[in-house]
Amino acid sequence: MEIFVAGKFIKTSTELKVTNPYNGQLVATTFLAGQPELEMAISAAQVARKSMHNLPSFRRYEILMLIRNRLAERREEFGRLLMLESGKPIRYALGEIDRSIQTFTVAAEESKRLPKEYLSLDWTPAGEKKEGLVKYFPVGIVAGIAPFNFPLNLAVHKIAPAIAAGCPIILKPSSVTPLSTLLLAQIISETGLPEGSVSILPMDRTTGNSLVTDPRIALLSFTGSPEVGWKMKAGAGKKKVVLELGGNAGVIVSRSADIGLALSKCLVGAFSYSGQVCIHTQRIYIHQEIFPEFSNRFADLVKGIKTGDPASAETEFSSMIDEANALRVENWVNEALDGGARLVCGGKREGTMYSPTVLTNTNASMNVCSSEVFGPVVTLEQFKDFESAVEQMNNTRFGLQAGVFTNDIQEMNRAFEALEVGGVIINDVPTFRVDHMPYGGIKDSGQGREGVKYAMMDMLEPRILVKGT
Amino acid sequence: MEIFVAGKFIKTSTELKVTNPYNGQLVATTFLAGQPELEMAISAAQVARKSMHNLPSFRRYEILMLIRNRLAERREEFGRLLMLESGKPIRYALGEIDRSIQTFTVAAEESKRLPKEYLSLDWTPAGEKKEGLVKYFPVGIVAGIAPFNFPLNLAVHKIAPAIAAGCPIILKPSSVTPLSTLLLAQIISETGLPEGSVSILPMDRTTGNSLVTDPRIALLSFTGSPEVGWKMKAGAGKKKVVLELGGNAGVIVSRSADIGLALSKCLVGAFSYSGQVCIHTQRIYIHQEIFPEFSNRFADLVKGIKTGDPASAETEFSSMIDEANALRVENWVNEALDGGARLVCGGKREGTMYSPTVLTNTNASMNVCSSEVFGPVVTLEQFKDFESAVEQMNNTRFGLQAGVFTNDIQEMNRAFEALEVGGVIINDVPTFRVDHMPYGGIKDSGQGREGVKYAMMDMLEPRILVKGT
Amino acid sequence: MEIFVAGKFIKTSTELKVTNPYNGQLVATTFLAGQPELEMAISAAQVARKSMHNLPSFRRYEILMLIRNRLAERREEFGRLLMLESGKPIRYALGEIDRSIQTFTVAAEESKRLPKEYLSLDWTPAGEKKEGLVKYFPVGIVAGIAPFNFPLNLAVHKIAPAIAAGCPIILKPSSVTPLSTLLLAQIISETGLPEGSVSILPMDRTTGNSLVTDPRIALLSFTGSPEVGWKMKAGAGKKKVVLELGGNAGVIVSRSADIGLALSKCLVGAFSYSGQVCIHTQRIYIHQEIFPEFSNRFADLVKGIKTGDPASAETEFSSMIDEANALRVENWVNEALDGGARLVCGGKREGTMYSPTVLTNTNASMNVCSSEVFGPVVTLEQFKDFESAVEQMNNTRFGLQAGVFTNDIQEMNRAFEALEVGGVIINDVPTFRVDHMPYGGIKDSGQGREGVKYAMMDMLEPRILVKGT
Amino acid sequence: MEIFVAGKFIKTSTELKVTNPYNGQLVATTFLAGQPELEMAISAAQVARKSMHNLPSFRRYEILMLIRNRLAERREEFGRLLMLESGKPIRYALGEIDRSIQTFTVAAEESKRLPKEYLSLDWTPAGEKKEGLVKYFPVGIVAGIAPFNFPLNLAVHKIAPAIAAGCPIILKPSSVTPLSTLLLAQIISETGLPEGSVSILPMDRTTGNSLVTDPRIALLSFTGSPEVGWKMKAGAGKKKVVLELGGNAGVIVSRSADIGLALSKCLVGAFSYSGQVCIHTQRIYIHQEIFPEFSNRFADLVKGIKTGDPASAETEFSSMIDEANALRVENWVNEALDGGARLVCGGKREGTMYSPTVLTNTNASMNVCSSEVFGPVVTLEQFKDFESAVEQMNNTRFGLQAGVFTNDIQEMNRAFEALEVGGVIINDVPTFRVDHMPYGGIKDSGQGREGVKYAMMDMLEPRILVKGT
């Protein structure tokens, strides 16, 4: 597949082979962009700025709905390609396509609803007979960097808002999963968007770093690991930076919880796409009275997970993105066991496949607790009272989302006030996300929010017109 | 005290004597306005429309804050006069002054924040290069009719928003409690508001009816009884009508409730100002498992209520507004007892004083359940499950507010979805109100909302400017 | 065509023949609903209330988008039918279908965006540790009454918001143009909306009056003539009433205006669909310095209007809805001429066809100025300074929309502040409307606003949940 | 005067003498904070975080209004001290106190109106029966760095929002004008705010740099020079950074402008406080047809400016903040003259006093055009058509505010769309600001917005609660 530079599909001198993590087979060959291709993309984006800004609302809406409709028509094709490049079970791959369709739908609608304010200014005599209009203008060129784990939808969470906001975007997909985004480029190329509005460029690290440093880029929107993200912020010069990083999301299961609900939700939260999810359910804190029941039933459920080829409709669980990551997870689990943790189930690796793993008796300093495990590992620990559960949840440098299973109003209120995260999910896992909700972390989990409208806000800057009345 | 007509204090030919309901002593003599005084008020209001509309925000704010500050300085004087005219215990009278201070504060702030919208119109080619500004303009003259039970604050809930919105207002206080509002007129007269902006006119019924029928009045805002209110709507011609009527507000005490909290809140909700409150707690539904405990403890608390002269700081409970109302309540209670209800405590009348009364074994067709009792009577009934409690609550033609004592998330959610009222108060009585919240009923309890900003919305009408970009 | 009662297409005992106003040929035969059919519709609507309220946002969206898409697919068919029943030139008939498609699109989007508020309540100690959630609930059954002039889109302006808001609706189309709305019913019947959600019932006057008086209907939304509308308000009992009435919309052409633009816009504003438009451009006030040029050029343009069969793509102007109306217009013009007005062009009638007519030297008391002419007549008068133009514009009991052609900031500002209307359109005619903008009149032109979101607001009532924090 | 560290007034080992720039006389002696005092402030702020967050709205409001009221009572005292430390004419010094009073008033009101969102989440089946509440939580400790030119109000623009948002703040005033802010600390210390909520610390540069680097500080809000500001952003680590920098604000005077208005406004915009204003009117572009008249009349007005002791009520113009700055301005003017510019008037220096200076025939590369002159210098240049005026305005790396004198709607619209700034002021100078409007620059003029509510937004971070319905 060719890469997409400013409206054209081209080859470069550097081939990039994309393989299926499950079986190592070649999925497709594409290309890495170097400085020349990036330069073409940036130059074209500069030219496209004005025409994108001048698109009336109905044109932005039409373009985004056209993409949405084409994507819906080709759902199966996109799902299959995404499954192949990522090793994500087909059921989840199709779910991701559905979410991308929704992300474009919301962006289409929000493109007509850019924020606008109309203010009285006569609060003091200095403002008498004056009033203000605030309109939001596109910031300029956006650079988006997307991760491998939701190769399409996390790219779409940058592309769709950029089109809606009127900003040209240069999107770097992950080098291991660039294909579904490049397939999307085909659809985008047929919409009549000004050339230069969107470029999709897999890149090597050096070229990618130019996205951080080039002063012509106004906003860097990065989704990926905390370490890389915070370094980018430091090197970004005058540009704005949005960081959607990861964490070690936790869940509280209170005594008043619906245990059956908690079990089934936690199972998915912990193991969908092998835990390679920013809001993967990594830590579960269970009230001591229900801990034995919960942990036993959970272990049983984990053992029943259907593992296998991601291409199969039955498969619930498959391999990790590559062996390096599987090895890292293996090491962290072994470290935890050496440190006194107890293995409830799992803990086995075969190539890129790491089995669904449940640990208990862990402590907060172990990597499986304190770092972003980004693999199929979850810890179960008990607590005595709700307040101590809150403390354990907060005892980390991350703060993305948290889940709380409870039927108690006081506990719900307390969780909202006290959990140091971007989102508190009642009676669901932290892994819960719908695409129009504000989503993002605090503490080391990031800065800024995505969720179409919220992502658009960072791509816009206000300008006030002060006028007479 | 003289009445306030378009900036001037005048006498009329008809004296109105105001007496203390507790001891029948004369509090003060004032006057009833007739057609000539109403005509003066309306004519002056017509002239004032333009200058009120042209007041810049900072002037509206200054005027409203000046009223607020003067009222705060004279808090004790206002509280005492309000207590004397209404028979309301001084603790509650002072509380009402505090609320009026707050109502003016909020109005001052909202006068700078009149709603404004700024819209993109280019959602279709027909709107290309066009956008819209929506500004809200005063509707014109407002007629306000206030009841006796919160003689100051319910008048202020019309006066303060009218000033904030830029509408002249003619306010008819209750003929039995006009004094505190007339005292407020003194403060208003010193603010520099254009003459004709505010008139405070006690009226006989015929003159009062002109407020309903006069076509020069743009909005009629009535707080009072359902019967009178709905009749006014029918006769109001082209004018807008806001109705803040009463009801038979109910409470659910769920099994998961904090009983102590429920008891203490219900005590105040049921008996403050002898139940002469639109959102008086009239019906309490208690889960059958806690019913015996609740009803026993409640009866004990009722017996401990300190009854006496409203002028005393200790007094919690005093007389009703007049003997006619006390007699009406006595009759309704006796009817209920004849129909099979059981008297838990109370049920005695002495002149205007009707003792705090608790009934049980009532049914939905008795006046003490189905009508607005507007007196110190409350019914206690039990329920089996939450859904049947909701049904009993809804089994009435009224729908003002409802209280629910619970610690269960599902019950809270269900109450919000299913209770047919304007406000659902969790872990407090339906009698709860703060002055900036949207307040008002559905079904026969009224139409429209008060709460400063919400009252202002009815006093304003939108105008869109469609302009080029 | 059968009428649509609570999900079923039925015949009744009373036939209704619909003819083409241009040539008197029968278009189709349909039926008038009587009390039995209305009763079926209301009963089914009562049942549908709960299931409509419970539809999740995505279902409302899907249903409305499905209608939108089917309408878009059948655009030509709908346009032709609308042309035949109304005599509206096909170019305008197709434009109306396009607007209905847009109205459904906007309603689909707004169905996901029902207003919601989240309030802090701790502005005084009384509200400490409490906060409020305000959600909007459907008011109940809506009765919609639509006029003949935009038979589809003005019905859709009631149907689409009702579905979006979750209210069952009974829609009475005009008896002379019911067909396109009944064709829409076919599409609606295939969406899976609960039966009883929508009924489309042509009615005789007696049955129609039940829509006004039946207490089971919560909201009456009427678009039509001022006389009928205000009478309905008086007889509507406790229900809410929205009135979208007409007027005698005016235009100012200032000295600074772009005359060419003003001429071409006024031509369409005055004569499209023979002036049978609520915001028909009826009065044009031109600065005296440009009056001769404007009136000469305008007369030339009027003479060039292509008149003929509405079915022809070239036709710009065709017959009126019936001869009675053509006769009425003829009489009003003749009265004006008798009273001293001068005929610039037009003034001829042939059956239902009344020629595009321009008058000057009129005065404000003539029917062609003061009443809603609802026909192809426009007056041209001159003014000396902008302020006097504003006065002439306002010298009427109506206040729907106004147009102002100017390039002067002061005049634009003044027009916005001073013109007593619901909408001031800069550099376009008052006839301008896009379907998502707030639209409606003040003074005798009505009460309430349509424009999807604004129409929805009247179909919803707020409920606050007060909860702890 | 002692400095204010976490609720206590203390001395340090390093004295700081503050002198009157006009006459060099000592105004007062205060102290520089070093690392120990900063450490005390940060530690106390960490403790104060929780109690500040827990303050109910009414307490925040009371505290901010108490500060506002005390400041209003001591207006003259504050004005005089500010005049002495800054050399700002007393009329402008008092104006600044009035603005600070207003800034606290607005903050008090906004403290009750923290943003809150209530969202439906059921836009797809994944969100069925779920909804979201978004509340904004304080980010943590704020470090504020204020400049010398508005020593009180620009500090208040950080302090007041911080209190309103619930964030502890450490404020570093300019070392040359710390006194009025330290006087404010006296008032703050009497409000009952938790100790550690506010510290006012003049600092040497090394200590000040810790505000940038210390990871315990969550937000750095800097108002000052572009060079310093952008360097801070690079060194700020994970913290958020708001930059309110300067520029070279320009004005367009169109042919349709009211020349008298433009002249009088430009005079103040160019020379108030010797041009030491972030939005100082530095460049004036005049239509060529009115250029001769404008420049002649402007020169006459400049010559009439009353210069002298800032303590005198008559004085309109006085010295610059120090001789170094006066020398810098002198050099830049001389460079311009050497480069071909023509001196219209001014151009003389005596110590810290630099006379009001008007230049013409400049070009965009001269420092007086391209750099922030921050002194009493303005350039007058002519333009041929509006579009070229826009280009000249935009031909700079800065983008703070712009003024446009015009009475032409097209020009107003074009200015809003095309001028690359944070604010476009119609018929006033770019120097216009009221304290509640969104204020801030784009391009090199900064990042983020102040204006109380807007400043608060940066001090808050959203958290969503996802709950059932």
Side-chain angles (χ1 to χ4, degrees), chain A residues 291-371:
Chain A
F291 183 82
E293 177 187 353
F294 186 95
S295 53
N296 289 337
R297 290 175 63 182
F298 192 67
D300 288 347
L301 287 169
V302 174
K303 289 167 196 159
I305 291 173
K306 282 175 199 137
T307 302
D309 187 338
S312 158
E314 269 80 50
T315 299
E316 293 166 350
F317 186 93
S318 188
S319 57
M320 291 185 65
I321 191 68
D322 55 26
E323 194 161 353
N325 274 288
L327 278 163
R328 178 183 52 76
V329 169
E330 185 176 38
N331 286 337
W332 287 8
V333 169
N334 290 340
E335 275 170 31
L337 296 176
D338 291 348
R342 185 166 72 76
L343 185 71
V344 177
C345 61
K348 296 195 190 72
R349 187 181 66 80
E350 255 185 285
T352 56
M353 184 82 85
Y354 194 81
S355 61
T357 298
V358 182
L359 295 172
T360 187
N361 289 353
T362 60
N363 66 57
S365 64
M366 294 170 173
N367 267 319
V368 292
C369 295
S370 65
S371 299

Side-chain angles (χ1 to χ4, degrees), chain A residues 56-58 112-113 116-118 120 122-125 128 131 133-135 406-410 412, chain B residues 56-58 112-113 116-118 120 122-125 128 131 133-135 406-410 412:
Chain A
S57 295
F58 67 88
K112 300 189 288 193
R113 293 172 170 83
K116 285 184 164 57
E117 278 187 272
Y118 182 17
S120 65
D122 60 347
W123 295 16
T124 58
E128 197 167 356
E131 59 189 16
L133 300 181
V134 184
K135 195 142 79 175
T406 180
N407 194 30
D408 184 293
I409 292 176
Q410 309 285 342
M412 178 177 79
Chain B
S57 295
F58 67 89
K112 300 188 290 193
R113 294 172 170 82
K116 285 185 164 58
E117 278 186 89
Y118 182 17
S120 65
D122 59 348
W123 294 17
T124 57
E128 197 167 356
E131 59 188 16
L133 300 181
V134 184
K135 195 141 80 175
T406 181
N407 194 30
D408 184 292
I409 293 175
Q410 309 286 342
M412 179 176 78

